Amino acid sequence: MSQFAHNTGYISHISNQYQSAYGRNVLTETALLSTTSNIFQSSDTGKSTLLVSLDLSAAFDTIDYSILLSRLSTSFGVTDTVYSWLQSYLIGHHQSVCIGQHSSTPALCTSGVPQGSVLGPLLFTIYTSPVSSIVNSYSVKQHQYADDTQLFISLSPTGYSADMSHLTKCLATVHSWFCLNGMALNPDKSDAIIIGTHQCSSSYSSLASVDVAGSAVPLADHIKVLGVALDQNLTLNHHVSAVCKSAYHIRAICHIRPAITKDMAKTIACALVGSRLDYANSVLFGVSSHNVTRLQRPQNAAARAVVWRSRRRSTNSLCLLEQLHGLPIEWRVKFKIACITYKTISTTEPAYLHSLLKHYVPSRSLRPSDSNLLSVPHVRTCLGSRSFAVAAPTIWNTLPLDIRNSPSICCFLSPPQNIFLQPRF
């Protein structure tokens, strides 16, 4: 068992750091923060970002066992007993199709890792690990979450032909690799978009599509990445609209509210409404006050449904949220960023976010102290200020010293110390 732990630890250590699935402290939200931070930083330098979201057809079902075992032994050093365990785990399975009382002849499985298993996701990550090296060789940025792959590159308004050439060659090589390894890109479900400021948008009018697997993928005005709709100017208007529409469950809560208790209503509202408002809400930092107000409405409606207050009764929404120990949308966004920042600093994971945070070092030390402050990078634009590299230290530095120096995440979140419950924040 110690040998197995050693090998799996080694695998985790050398695998793609931009693969945000199946790892410690890496989530879809951290992946989105990394991608959007790169886009914001490019916009701050006067460049736009061409982002291509690739889709794989039946990704988990096309993992070839012979290639996987070869990669485990040659690239990751898995040998002896551990190799035999994995070999017996993969090889020798049969499958058949059953309809009513009839079933087909069992066929030997030669590909596919079991989804929902413990080893399945890890084996998929190992299998696709060479993609990272291929993308890096073309100076193209990337981020992956399981089989969702985003490739993006900064475009200069004056000379973007060379950048486009790098991306086109990279996509062609990635497509060839997938074909050689029994996997297939699906251009029909792949998306592409150019994201930047309004001023830079007109510079790329000649670009209409991107070549993916021999098909022209047209540039869209917004695409969905890991459940968040990113538009051309990152206003997140489409995403906010989708979140507000998904809060239609409030009506159902109102219908059944007389038959359930307050605690039951609160649980249902948190599961059906609160979870949608909180998902990846850290990327909402810096959005327009109009979008914040739009998101605040369903939260207020859910609060009224829980405490069973009619809209006609003049009750302050903040008072209702305080009764339910809830935070308004704007505070929840800052709270989420502060939590991610604390975890990133204390665990140094994920590495791609930790690299964006730099401890503040004063030019001269007047007295010994451990302020635990972060350095706030200088930016020129409003879009640049929305980057995690700027938002995280800006929020972190406003926290009291005793909270910044909390020994654990539980202490960091403890109500007596949590200034997010105080109106001054």
Side-chain angles (χ1 to χ4, degrees):
M1 185 61 67
S2 60
Q3 185 184 4
F4 180 76
H6 170 76
N7 278 279
T8 54
Y10 179 66
I11 289 170
S12 300
H13 176 68
I14 68 172
S15 60
N16 178 18
Q17 68 165 324
Y18 293 103
Q19 171 61 265
S20 289
Y22 326 122
R24 180 186 177 189
N25 292 331
V26 287
L27 311 164
T28 56
E29 188 159 8
T30 59
L32 284 164
L33 282 175
S34 175
T35 301
T36 54
S37 290
N38 276 284
I39 296 173
F40 288 137
Q41 289 171 350
S42 294
S43 297
D44 194 60
T45 59
K47 297 182 178 180
S48 296
T49 300
L50 174 57
L51 186 149
V52 180
S53 181
L54 302 178
D55 181 82
L56 290 172
S57 299
F60 279 76
D61 298 331
T62 55
I63 303 300
D64 187 274
Y65 293 154
S66 60
I67 298 177
L68 174 59
L69 291 171
S70 175
R71 187 156 296 142
L72 282 167
S73 61
T74 57
S75 300
F76 293 89
V78 178
T79 57
D80 303 329
T81 305
V82 175
Y83 181 86
S84 300
W85 287 348
L86 293 172
Q87 187 178 39
S88 64
Y89 174 76
L90 294 170
I91 297 177
H93 295 284
H94 292 77
Q95 65 181 5
S96 62
V97 178
C98 297
I99 301 177
Q101 301 297 324
H102 304 280
S103 60
S104 63
T105 303
L108 180 66
C109 294
T110 59
S111 63
V113 291
Q115 297 189 48
S117 63
V118 176
L119 284 180
L122 179 61
L123 294 176
F124 176 83
T125 304
I126 293 170
Y127 192 85
T128 57
S129 59
V131 174
S132 173
S133 301
I134 295 173
V135 175
N136 291 335
S137 66
Y138 288 94
S139 300
V140 175
K141 297 179 182 179
Q142 60 168 316
H143 215 108
Q144 295 174 272
Y145 192 91
D147 59 332
D148 291 317
T149 303
Q150 285 80 47
L151 306 183
F152 48 96
I153 193 168
S154 298
L155 300 177
S156 174
T158 55
Y160 56 85
S161 58
D163 300 325
M164 284 298 302
S165 176
H166 283 296
L167 181 62
T168 302
K169 292 178 181 178
C170 178
L171 288 169
T173 306
V174 169
H175 176 225
S176 299
W177 185 91
F178 281 131
C179 292
L180 290 173
N181 288 269
M183 308 181 78
L185 278 176
N186 187 355
D188 293 334
K189 292 186 178 181
S190 297
D191 298 300
I193 186 174
I194 293 181
I195 303 176
T197 61
H198 289 282
Q199 293 78 3
C200 293
S201 299
S202 57
S203 303
Y204 312 102
S205 56
S206 60
L207 287 177
S209 62
V210 178
D211 184 271
V212 177
S215 299
V217 176
L219 295 177
D221 59 349
H222 71 279
I223 65 173
K224 200 167 187 179
V225 177
L226 298 175
V228 174
L230 304 180
D231 55 84
Q232 291 177 322
N233 305 120
L234 274 186
T235 60
L236 298 179
N237 291 336
H238 291 88
H239 176 67
V240 171
S241 297
V243 172
C244 293
K245 289 180 181 178
S246 68
Y248 64 89
H249 295 286
I250 297 174
R251 294 182 179 179
I253 298 175
C254 293
H255 289 160
I256 65 173
R257 182 61 183 88
I260 60 177
T261 64
K262 181 179 178 180
D263 289 339
M264 293 173 63
K266 184 177 179 180
T267 300
I268 295 173
C270 289
L272 299 181
V273 181
S275 61
R276 288 174 167 82
L277 294 174
D278 286 343
Y279 175 72
N281 60 345
S282 59
V283 300
L284 295 171
F285 181 82
V287 297
S288 64
S289 57
H290 173 66
N291 279 332
V292 173
T293 302
R294 291 171 64 195
L295 290 171
Q296 191 62 58
R297 290 169 186 160
Q299 187 188 34
N300 294 343
R304 286 194 298 269
V306 171
V307 299
W308 200 229
R309 294 290 178 88
S310 171
R311 183 179 295 181
R312 296 178 181 178
R313 297 178 61 179
S314 58
T315 305
N316 192 326
S317 299
L318 286 178
C319 294
L320 294 180
L321 291 175
E322 185 178 357
Q323 293 179 29
L324 300 173
H325 304 285
L327 296 173
I329 294 298
E330 186 176 1
W331 292 8
R332 296 180 83 89
V333 171
K334 295 178 179 179
F335 177 74
K336 178 69 76 64
I337 294 177
C339 291
I340 294 176
T341 304
Y342 177 84
K343 293 178 181 178
T344 302
I345 293 174
S346 58
T347 65
T348 69
E349 294 176 345
Y352 51 78
L353 288 187
H354 187 260
S355 63
L356 300 177
L357 304 177
K358 308 295 182 184
H359 282 281
Y360 172 72
V361 180
S363 57
R364 57 178 181 171
S365 180
L366 301 179
R367 53 183 172 179
S369 64
D370 184 14
S371 58
N372 195 16
L373 295 173
L374 295 176
S375 177
V376 181
H378 173 72
V379 292
R380 300 181 303 171
T381 63
C382 292
L383 275 180
S385 64
R386 292 173 59 187
S387 166
F388 181 79
V390 179
T394 300
I395 294 173
W396 179 262
N397 293 346
T398 62
L399 302 176
L401 179 61
D402 56 338
I403 296 181
R404 293 199 301 269
N405 291 334
S406 298
S408 66
I409 186 63
C410 294
C411 295
F412 181 80
L413 299 176
S414 58
Q417 294 182 337
N418 197 337
I419 67 167
F420 290 94
L421 299 180
Q422 301 178 13
R424 72 179 183 86
F425 186 81

